[in-house]
């Protein structure tokens, strides 16, 4: 299966907010680019479910406006989803 983000919940929030969840095919993720911020595995909690989907619970890094969130791993790049700072 290829790296893919199905959803981001919630799609808006503020800097420092905990547990914004990325859902999808994310089991091989090594890096998440959240706007200009580059996050690594120390920046999220990962859980894989029996149906095969993976969730990454992330604490929102500094930023403003609407940013693109993209995952990288296993030589692949996911689609992007948007997160809006409020």
């Amino acid at each position: 299966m290829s790296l893919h983000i199905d959803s981001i919940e919630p799609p808006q929030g503020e800097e420092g907010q905990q547990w914004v969840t990325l859902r999808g095919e994310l089991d091989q993720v090594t890096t998440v680019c959240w706007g200009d911020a580059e996050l690594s595995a120390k920046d999220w909690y990962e859980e894989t479910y029996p149906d095969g989907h993976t969730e990454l619970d992330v604490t929102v890094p500094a930023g403003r406006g609407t940013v693109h969130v993209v995952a990288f791993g296993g030589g692949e790049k996911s689609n992007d989803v948007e997160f809006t700072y409020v």
Side-chain angles (χ1 to χ4, degrees):
M1 294 189 178
S2 63
L3 199 58
H4 186 80
I5 300 173
D6 293 326
S7 66
I8 183 170
E9 293 296 329
Q12 63 183 24
E14 50 191 51
E15 178 182 330
Q17 179 175 326
Q18 292 188 337
W19 308 126
V20 171
T21 302
L22 299 174
R23 290 183 177 91
E25 300 296 332
L26 302 168
D27 62 328
Q28 295 183 31
V29 171
T30 56
T31 305
V32 172
C33 288
W34 190 290
D36 293 334
E38 188 172 299
L39 309 177
S40 65
K42 66 178 177 51
D43 299 310
W44 64 72
Y45 173 77
E46 179 178 330
E47 190 163 1
T48 301
Y49 292 85
D51 67 0
H53 86 275
T54 302
E55 293 184 358
L56 303 180
D57 293 321
V58 180
T59 299
V60 178
R64 56 186 247 197
T66 297
V67 298
H68 293 271
V69 178
V70 180
F72 296 87
E76 296 184 38
K77 175 184 175 184
S78 76
N79 59 306
D80 68 82
V81 294
E82 291 184 344
F83 180 84
T84 302
Y85 287 85
V86 293

